[in-house]
Amino acid sequence: MTAVETSVHWTTVCPLGRLLPERGVAALVGDVQVAIFRLHDGSVRAVGNVDPFSGAAVISRGIVGDRGGVPTVASPVYKQVFGLLDGRCLDDADVSLPTYPVRIRYGHLDVGLPW
Amino acid sequence: MRELVVIGNGMVGHRLVQALCDRDSTGAWHVTVLGEEARPAYDRVALSSYVDGVSAEDLTLPGLAVDLHLGDPAVAIDRDARRVTTEGGRVLPYDALVLATGSVPFVPPVPGRDLPGCFVYRTLDDLDAIKAAAADAVARPGPGRRSAVVVGGGLLGLEAARALRSLGLSPQVVEIAPRLMPVQVDEGGGALLRRLVESPSGSHAGLAVRCGVSVEGIVRDRDRLVATLSDGVELDADVVVFSAGIRPADALARAAGLVTGERGGVFVDDRCRTSDEHVWAIGEVAALQGRTYGLVAPGYAMAEVVADRLLGGRATMTPAELDMSTRLKMLGVDVASFGDAQATTPGALEVVVNDPVAGTYAKLVISDDARTLLGGVLVGDASRYAALRPLVGSPLPADPVALIAPGGVELGADALPDSAQICSCNAVTKGAIGQAIADGADTVPALKACTRAGTSCGSCVPLLKKLLIDSGVQVSTALCEHFGQSRAELFEIVAGTGIRTFSELVSRFGRGRGCDICKPAVASILASQGAGHVHDGEQAALQDTNDHFLANLQRNGTYSVVPRLAGGEVTPEGLIVIGEVARDFGLYTKITGGQRIDMFGARVEQLPAIWRRLVDAGFESGHAYGKSLRTVKSCVGTTWCRYGVQDSVGLAVALELRYRGLRAPHKLKSGVSGCARECAEARSKDFGIIATEEGWNLYVGGNGGFTPRHAELLASDLDTETLVRYLDRYLMFYVRTADRLQRTAPWIESLEGGLDHLRAVVVEDSLGIGADLEAAMEAHVGSYADEWRGVLEDEEKLSRFVSFVNAPDTPDPLVRTREERGQPVPVALGMPGVGA
């Protein structure tokens, strides 16, 4: 993780309180759309917001759940399911969402994007 | 190319031509069909539905690419020259000729039978004439209800009586035999049947029945008819209908010198060939080995045999195809007979369980050694028909009394031999179904698709389910990997425990954190049980995106907005507001199929401002985004229409406002038509209402979509209060027991007993839950609140309607539009823009 963190720049997007448990929000970081999810254990995950199957920026509006214990989000367009830990599509091994590191500082959420 | 001439354009003739056209891949035959009636072929079995508002077009069978001459019957057959002459002077040579002339009604030689006001019950033209006469009688001034006499108390006579009652007359049935339906049921069954159809309560008919007497004469007395019976009684009637049996229409064949059966009909062998090798006969005109058959199923089998033979096949009629077993609902009474129902086998024994209190009668006919089942009769409750009928000719699997006693042995499918027919409509044996299961069919729909079993009358579907379970196939009803329960079971758990959060439900009754299948399903269950606003507390995280933003997600990530226009009504002021909102927010507008206006292209952050203006103008959410009531479509009814007989708009508005916001397993659509012309297309809806002179007919289980279905009649001539009570029960029963994303049509199909069971629950309250269902609906109606107003009045809920959490008013940069026909439409995503 240390290596990853040094290779990104951090942007503060919102107070942690804006995130509902097991629900997503979208953030615009530069021109990158990020979907951010707060899981039931309080951890936060960030993946790309653009659904690779439809091209629409809607991943943040999907339903959060799990498959076999792995946290997931389902695209609201055509319902493909993506793992929130690694961004991989569980219904199509060739497709994945980018993932982004997050950190919480002073009660605010930061998202890290590559330089 | 050889010439085939088919005389007769009824259901059996039509089936022959269809089967031949389907299979004649080399074009061996040129087909000419001669029809006596001026109409195209129609479904005569469903003839009576014509008085319930089903149109002649609905009853019409699919058209076929043949030379069809309607209203031009054959008048002569020259067998030596092999040609047919028609009334209109056509002369048609043939290589093969098929007689499918059907039958003619038998009218007993009663003086006065030709008087105006006397009818037979066979064709759509007959029904048109009866409808007109009934309408005249009803319209005539004077006290008392108009009445009809039906001559004949068999299957057709009771159908006619029901139809006459639907037309507003009080029918009296006169049957010469000592009981009703003498062919199908025995004395004990007939006695119960009579008592049930005479009872004025429930869905039963309240008919007047006179058995063991005949009509001796009919005379005209001023503007009515008087029928004198053999016991001296005189019956007043506005209409007399003869339905005293049928006779084969074999006059043409007799004139041509073909051999006929002893009791009429054209004699054919087991290939359906007459005494002339170029001439075949099928259906009711055919006397197969000397015997005629008045049901459509044997006729269809004959049509298939002849189609096969004409193409060089070697098919023959089998005894199974001549099975006269029947199960039907007559005037609300379940009646079935199978095998040797009348116990004509020498030495046959009869075992009877007769319960006049419960209103059920069951008889089994067994062989003289009490080992083999020969047949039976069931009246009042024929639910065991599907299990018993295939056992005919097989050893009895249990004590015969236990097989028909209440609470007795439930027959497992394992009791049946492989040769037993499970589906008699399509002649599918238990062996064939076992093979299909072995080949991988593991659901009822899969079995239907590969064997055709259960695709006609559906009475064998419970048996198909049993066969699947018996074969060890696990028919899982688990909702998803997080819940082993079905949706209906979860509904009961939520109702019984009072659990109001998904977290508690999944931790106590499931596993894991849920998914996009169980979360919205549980959200719907919670909403149906009055859990408040769909965004309250933890519920917000359960909703799919449509319910989360209370709008319909479109392909580019924007949403569409639909305000409610109850019944399709909108004021000019309302239209102007909708127009202004669409213009000011740059939305594309389109009229929906449900008589509303849809505004497309709204971004998440625009939705509250759009709805602020709509709510201020008096609009409310249309729930177009929800698995809930969508619209109740209507025609203008008596308010404007010259033909309307009831206020369809008023009812549609009332129903839409009553059931708005009701969360259900799937979307619900409805329609109300103000007369039988059915301009609101109510029969394509989950619940459709069609006005009658007397009230409303209620149809259920219709839908458009991938598998279109016509709704079926649940109850007729209801007053508005009864209609609403039945609808409350129907909808709440559906909400409680259907599977996730199961529309009403497959739900009804999945109920054991299907539509009959539903009718029992809704109309007769057979489960005793009617009051409970009504109370649940009252609770819903009482707690309804507009969801969009609820959002606008709550800052916390409003705070979710942002494009980006860190840039709340910045539009999604991927959403771009271009103009098409004067309106904005999305630029396809992932493609270069082609416009502004």
Side-chain angles (χ1 to χ4, degrees), chain A residues 3-56:
Chain A
V4 172
E5 287 184 26
T6 55
S7 66
V8 301
H9 70 275
W10 293 97
T11 306
T12 299
V13 293
C14 67
L16 191 58
R18 284 299 307 273
L19 301 180
L20 288 172
E22 305 203 280
R23 194 81 225 182
V25 296
L28 190 59
V29 184
D31 56 359
V32 178
Q33 293 205 35
V34 181
I36 303 164
F37 300 89
R38 180 168 174 178
L39 304 183
H40 73 282
D41 60 4
S43 66
V44 177
R45 296 283 168 178
V47 296
N49 193 36
V50 177
D51 171 21
F53 293 93
S54 65

Side-chain angles (χ1 to χ4, degrees), chain A residues 22-23 26 28 61 64 66 68, chain B residues 481 513-514 519 543 805-806:
Chain A
E22 305 203 280
R23 194 81 225 182
L28 190 59
R61 304 177 207 159
V64 177
D66 80 279
Chain B
E481 69 172 75
R513 297 301 309 167
K519 280 186 166 179
Q543 310 295 352
V805 70
N806 58 340

Side-chain angles (χ1 to χ4, degrees), chain B residues 261 266-271 286-293 317 322:
Chain B
V266 183
F267 191 95
V268 296
D269 59 18
D270 64 356
R271 299 168 294 178
L288 191 84
Q289 322 275 30
R291 187 178 163 193
T292 55
Y293 295 85
M317 290 294 290
L322 298 171

Side-chain angles (χ1 to χ4, degrees), chain B residues 457-517:
Chain B
C457 81
S459 69
C460 63
V461 170
L463 212 52
L464 296 179
K465 248 187 238 168
K466 275 188 187 160
L467 285 170
L468 277 169
I469 293 165
D470 290 355
S471 69
V473 172
Q474 292 295 321
V475 185
S476 174
T477 58
L479 192 60
C480 64
E481 69 172 75
H482 305 101
F483 287 100
Q485 299 87 348
S486 67
R487 181 190 173 281
E489 288 164 342
L490 285 175
F491 195 102
E492 291 308 315
I493 288 171
V494 170
T497 59
I499 288 175
R500 284 292 176 270
T501 66
F502 180 85
S503 297
E504 188 180 355
L505 190 66
V506 78
S507 65
R508 282 180 59 187
F509 295 95
R511 68 192 81 85
R513 297 301 309 167
C515 63
D516 60 318
I517 292 169

Side-chain angles (χ1 to χ4, degrees), chain B residues 58 95 124 168 193 197 231 233 256 304 311 320 447 475 484 594 640 688 733 784:
Chain B
D58 286 338
D95 297 294
L124 283 172
L193 174 63
V197 301
D231 59 0
V233 169
E304 297 285 341
L311 295 171
L447 279 179
V475 185
W640 290 96
F733 191 47
Y784 169 81

Side-chain angles (χ1 to χ4, degrees), chain B residues 323-369:
Chain B
D323 183 13
M324 296 295 280
S325 299
T326 35
R327 175 183 180 177
L328 49 100
K329 194 89 168 178
M330 185 48 79
L331 295 150
V333 183
D334 222 359
V335 179
S337 78
F338 53 96
D340 181 11
Q342 308 289 357
T344 55
T345 309
L349 307 173
E350 298 179 59
V351 177
V352 174
V353 174
N354 191 0
D355 184 344
V357 179
T360 60
Y361 174 91
K363 178 181 81 171
L364 292 186
V365 179
I366 55 181
S367 59
D368 55 359
D369 60 359

